[in-house]
Amino acid sequence: MLLAVRNFVAVCQTIPVPLQSPMPVFDGQVSRSSITSIPEESYAAHGREHRENSTASESTHGSTRTSVTGTTSVTSQRDSFNMDAVFDAAKMFVGELEASVEAMATSLKENATLSGQALAAVLFSRMDHLTQRTGQMMVAFEKVCSDEAGQRTLAHSKEALLNGFGTLFCKLQMLTGTSAISEATLTDLEQVIQRILVPVQAMKGCIVALDENMMKDEASDGEDEDEEDEAESGVSPYLRHDYRKRDIAFGADGQVRGGTLSALVERLTMHDQSDTNFTTTFMLTFRSFCSPIKLLKLLEDRFSLSPPKDLTEEELEAWTEKKQIPVRLRVFNIFKLWLEQYFSTEDDMFILDRLLDFNSVMIRSNLSTACGDQLERLVKRRREAEGPMQLKRRIASARVASEAILPSNTKKFRLLDIHPLELARQLTLMDFSLYSMIQATDCMNKAWSESDNRIRANISFNTQITLWVMDAILCPSDVKKRAQVVKYWIDVAQKCQHLHNFNTLMAILSAFESSAIGRLGRTWEAAGTKSQQALGVLRKLLGTDRNYAEYRTLIHSINPPCIPFLGVYLQDLTFIADGNPDMLVTPRRSTSLINFGKLSKTGAVIRDMQQFQSLSYAFQPVELLQTFIKANLQSARDEEVLYTASVKLEPKEREDQKVTRMLSESGFV
């Protein structure tokens, strides 16, 4: 890279091309003295273009922002929620940039004994990260510090950062041609890095001061803000929402982004609107932020909602009709939904007695006897139901079960005596029995990585299938027999694809991809081109290219019954869990908000999983074959032993040894 830079600079010196700093120019607002080779008129035109673009960009965001520094107040059209996000981003980027500069200083000390070229390589990688973070920070900083003092800090900091980066780049470039590094050079580098840290800390101080002033400003008029917003909406005071504005946050799309627990429960049972997506997400994920007994208590409180004080008789009648009755009906429907679709026998059984008491005392007397009877029947059915699944679950009983294909001799048979289709069917039934038992709680907070649960049981089952396939291939000592077993399992994998059992299909493919099987060159040659081509089609389908793009496209077009590849869901859930905080913490809110945006993403993945749990396969279970399968799964050797067996069966060959063997097998030697 450095050679390319030198060549570029050499070419530029021979032709009339204006040469700019190699560091990024942020928003075109670098001082003119720092870009001496750009003509004055070009700079002016660039500045006008930037200001026009900035104005156009400002006009596309509609709403209000207030920036306060000291006694200065600047208002522009921004959304208050977007402003929270921008403030959080600015603070995060400043903090990360400060940490990156300090990490570079630490790296310099730790690698002081390296050669000049090696040290330059280490610091260049750090510098690349620094410049990326600087660009992000500048964009966020300019949005939050739009007052005169903030813009002054921004301009000075930009110039200081550009000068610091330019100096550092030159000094690192000089290091590449040296072997030993003097103490003076190290000291000089350390001073340059510290000079970069100064403007970063200045911007950090500006954001902190601005943030503190805004917190004071919001603390003084935050309560009045809620009343003004409600009054402007034309809603009668006694029909307004009970939560405060600061207790809930919405995204640009109008969806709930975060909220306190009480605000989310109120949103769940609102009197004036219903949000199916919100309800589904809440019921799928509530156990990650609230206990069942706590939710039951909050729902009871919502049902027992009291009217505001000092209402006239007419207002009380309107409040009862338009708010109290709708809220009670929504609470009743949530109870029904909970018992029918979202009940967990492990976590929720102990709420049934309390719910039954509440039903007898409150629901029967305040709604209707019919509602009370309906809820009582659901509680009774839930107590009698076996397992955690939905009471309304559909089973493919209406479909005619396929007739099983049994081995010709059921008393004594080997793996290859089982028809590939029937083996795929039995594996599918066994896999689906585990997959269909997975609950939403198994998917929350990466539960599968910390304790034994239903997801881990499914993973363990498919790992055993992988080891069994490997073991079966490595059992025969004869290469042709091994090739026959390979072709058999490829056939089984194809049958799994036709049955839409992608989970078992991936387990079989994992065996082929293992080092113990993949290295069997002679076996794969004996298996033939046709089998390898068929395997290539399956590998392409479940390939990781572009985040499983081909598989994701296919799975969205398939109707149940189906067993999707569980690994894709777990990957998505892991990214969501690791990349999003559980709580939204902003300095301008008195309380932290539950990150409902994260829960919405998690809920979407869980819903994708659950849509394939609703319809089971109509194959006939064959106990004889399933017993055979279980015995082989349990007896399969572990991967290390299998690799040793693989090396023993087909030792590593030099090229000349391979040629000699092939000539011998062909009869020429």
Side-chain angles (χ1 to χ4, degrees):
M1 184 187 77
L2 289 176
L3 180 60
V5 171
R6 291 192 185 103
N7 291 339
F8 176 76
V9 172
V11 171
C12 289
Q13 289 173 339
T14 61
I15 56 178
V17 175
L19 184 62
Q20 298 187 33
S21 165
M23 290 296 100
V25 177
F26 308 109
D27 290 342
Q29 296 182 2
V30 182
S31 66
R32 300 181 186 184
S33 60
S34 64
I35 311 180
T36 56
S37 52
I38 298 180
E40 186 70 17
E41 59 271 22
S42 298
Y43 180 85
H46 183 74
R48 285 195 301 272
E49 180 183 354
H50 169 73
R51 287 189 292 274
E52 291 168 1
N53 290 341
S54 297
T55 303
S57 176
E58 287 285 328
S59 66
T60 60
H61 301 355
S63 109
T64 308
R65 168 174 68 148
T66 302
S67 174
V68 182
T69 303
T71 58
T72 305
S73 178
V74 180
T75 302
S76 64
Q77 298 197 346
R78 298 266 186 211
D79 182 81
S80 59
F81 158 70
N82 291 339
M83 198 57 201
D84 278 354
V86 171
F87 251 98
D88 294 341
K91 292 183 71 175
M92 179 185 71
F93 289 140
V94 169
E96 289 182 353
L97 185 58
E98 184 180 28
S100 296
V101 176
E102 292 172 349
M104 175 176 273
T106 302
S107 182
L108 175 64
K109 295 177 181 178
E110 292 176 349
N111 297 284
T113 58
L114 297 178
S115 66
Q117 188 171 3
L119 180 60
V122 172
L123 296 183
F124 264 126
S125 65
R126 294 277 186 183
M127 184 176 173
D128 180 59
H129 180 73
L130 271 179
T131 55
Q132 292 177 22
R133 286 286 180 236
T134 302
Q136 294 169 330
M137 182 194 67
M138 289 295 184
V139 172
F141 187 89
E142 184 175 15
K143 290 179 180 178
V144 300
C145 297
S146 58
D147 58 299
E148 184 178 352
Q151 289 299 308
R152 238 187 349 260
T153 302
L154 179 64
H156 293 160
S157 299
K158 280 183 178 180
E159 183 173 0
L161 281 171
L162 286 172
N163 290 336
F165 283 138
T167 304
L168 182 61
F169 182 87
C170 294
K171 290 188 177 297
L172 293 181
Q173 190 173 11
M174 292 170 60
L175 276 182
T176 58
T178 62
S179 54
I181 307 174
S182 66
E183 190 68 30
T185 301
L186 291 174
T187 302
D188 196 17
L189 283 172
E190 188 173 353
Q191 290 175 351
V192 172
I193 294 173
Q194 290 302 316
R195 284 204 299 271
I196 294 175
L197 188 60
V198 171
V200 175
Q201 292 175 335
M203 284 188 286
K204 181 179 179 180
C206 184
I207 290 178
V208 170
L210 177 60
D211 213 14
E212 290 174 350
N213 286 325
M214 290 189 69
M215 288 172 64
K216 294 176 183 177
D217 185 61
E218 284 202 9
S220 63
D221 61 9
E223 297 298 331
D224 296 336
E225 197 176 74
D226 289 346
E227 295 179 7
E228 291 172 4
D229 288 345
E230 294 284 5
E232 289 176 2
S233 67
V235 178
S236 300
Y238 55 87
L239 295 179
R240 295 173 187 169
H241 300 144
D242 297 320
Y243 57 74
R244 299 173 302 172
K245 182 179 178 181
R246 66 180 61 197
D247 290 340
I248 199 163
F250 296 90
D253 57 357
Q255 299 300 311
V256 176
R257 176 175 174 259
T260 61
L261 179 56
S262 58
L264 294 179
V265 172
E266 181 178 347
R267 190 80 184 172
L268 184 69
T269 56
M270 289 180 66
H271 63 284
D272 55 352
Q273 61 178 290
S274 177
D275 188 338
T276 304
N277 287 334
F278 178 87
T279 300
T280 303
T281 298
F282 186 99
M283 296 307 296
L284 278 173
T285 62
F286 77 85
R287 291 178 185 83
S288 67
F289 58 85
C290 173
S291 66
I293 195 67
K294 178 67 173 177
L295 176 59
L296 178 60
K297 175 65 169 59
L298 290 170
L299 290 173
E300 290 174 348
D301 292 343
R302 282 290 288 168
F303 190 91
S304 307
L305 193 63
S306 300
K309 296 179 180 179
D310 303 324
L311 292 184
T312 66
E313 186 176 342
E314 183 180 347
E315 288 174 337
L316 180 60
E317 184 179 349
W319 178 85
T320 302
E321 179 184 350
K322 295 181 179 180
K323 187 168 183 178
Q324 185 186 53
I325 293 177
V327 166
R328 287 179 169 177
L329 288 172
R330 298 226 188 266
V331 171
F332 169 74
N333 286 327
I334 292 299
F335 283 146
K336 280 182 54 185
L337 199 64
W338 190 352
L339 291 170
E340 288 177 346
Q341 299 184 35
Y342 301 103
F343 192 85
S344 168
T345 54
E346 297 172 354
D347 302 324
D348 302 342
M349 289 297 292
F350 66 94
I351 71 166
L352 293 180
D353 288 336
R354 177 167 173 169
L355 179 56
L356 206 55
D357 291 340
F358 184 79
N359 179 57
S360 301
V361 175
M362 298 296 294
I363 294 179
R364 284 183 180 277
S365 59
N366 290 286
L367 287 182
S368 67
T369 303
C371 289
D373 291 342
Q374 189 176 5
L375 206 59
E376 188 173 332
R377 284 195 299 270
L378 286 173
V379 171
K380 182 180 179 180
R381 290 177 60 191
R382 181 49 69 187
R383 280 175 169 163
E384 295 172 352
E386 295 182 3
M389 302 315 296
Q390 300 176 6
L391 292 180
K392 291 186 175 181
R393 179 165 173 197
R394 295 181 291 124
I395 302 297
S397 56
R399 299 175 56 194
V400 178
S402 304
E403 185 177 351
I405 308 172
L406 299 177
S408 55
N409 183 359
T410 57
K411 299 291 185 182
K412 186 177 181 180
F413 60 90
R414 300 174 301 115
L415 172 64
L416 300 187
D417 295 330
I418 304 174
H419 195 283
L421 176 58
E422 191 57 45
L423 182 61
R425 287 174 178 172
Q426 298 305 313
L427 287 171
T428 297
L429 287 175
M430 297 170 72
D431 202 340
F432 186 82
S433 68
L434 295 170
Y435 176 75
S436 62
M437 296 297 292
I438 295 174
Q439 296 186 64
T441 51
D442 299 319
C443 306
M444 301 299 299
N445 302 321
K446 298 192 292 185
W448 65 89
S449 63
E450 299 172 358
S451 59
D452 290 337
N453 62 13
R454 284 164 286 266
I455 289 180
R456 287 187 70 90
N458 190 281
I459 294 172
S460 177
F461 174 74
N462 283 277
T463 301
Q464 288 179 319
I465 291 177
T466 299
L467 293 175
W468 178 29
V469 174
M470 295 167 62
D471 202 344
I473 294 172
L474 294 170
C475 274
S477 57
D478 182 70
V479 65
K480 292 182 180 179
K481 291 182 179 180
R482 286 199 299 276
Q484 188 179 7
V485 178
V486 166
K487 290 191 285 186
Y488 175 83
W489 279 112
I490 292 175
D491 199 2
V492 173
Q494 288 179 310
K495 298 298 187 291
C496 287
Q497 180 197 1
H498 296 152
L499 298 177
H500 297 161
N501 180 2
F502 299 102
N503 211 33
T504 302
L505 170 58
M506 178 57 87
I508 297 172
L509 291 181
S510 296
F512 293 138
E513 300 294 336
S514 67
S515 56
I517 304 302
R519 62 173 300 279
L520 299 175
R522 295 167 58 190
T523 302
W524 287 107
E525 288 174 9
T529 304
K530 185 177 179 180
S531 294
Q532 293 188 48
Q533 288 176 344
L535 180 58
V537 172
L538 299 176
R539 283 172 169 163
K540 184 174 181 293
L541 172 64
L542 286 174
T544 59
D545 295 346
R546 294 180 296 130
N547 194 19
Y548 297 94
E550 185 169 339
Y551 166 74
R552 289 180 188 269
T553 301
L554 175 64
I555 202 70
H556 288 151
S557 65
I558 288 177
N559 294 320
C562 169
I563 308 177
F565 172 41
L566 196 59
V568 171
Y569 294 131
L570 298 184
Q571 173 185 287
D572 293 344
L573 289 169
T574 299
F575 287 156
I576 294 169
D578 292 344
N580 299 273
D582 293 331
M583 306 296 291
L584 297 177
V585 182
T586 61
R588 284 157 304 287
R589 295 187 185 274
S590 57
T591 56
S592 298
L593 304 182
I594 296 167
N595 189 349
F596 201 79
K598 175 180 180 178
L599 298 176
S600 297
K601 296 174 184 177
T602 303
V605 177
I606 295 173
R607 286 196 292 273
D608 282 347
M609 291 178 61
Q610 289 185 338
Q611 68 174 319
F612 296 114
Q613 295 178 320
S614 61
L615 196 65
S616 63
Y617 286 87
F619 304 138
Q620 178 182 342
V622 181
E623 185 177 352
L624 177 71
L625 297 182
Q626 291 197 7
T627 301
F628 175 84
I629 292 171
K630 291 175 183 176
N632 280 276
L633 292 179
Q634 294 172 1
S635 64
R637 294 171 286 180
D638 63 47
E639 195 165 0
E640 186 176 347
V641 174
L642 291 170
Y643 184 80
T644 302
S646 172
V647 173
K648 186 176 180 180
L649 288 171
E650 293 190 22
K652 296 179 181 178
E653 293 180 315
R654 298 193 309 271
E655 192 62 30
D656 59 330
Q657 292 175 327
K658 181 178 179 180
V659 171
T660 302
R661 176 182 56 78
M662 294 179 68
L663 290 173
S664 177
E665 291 175 353
S666 303
F668 290 101
V669 177

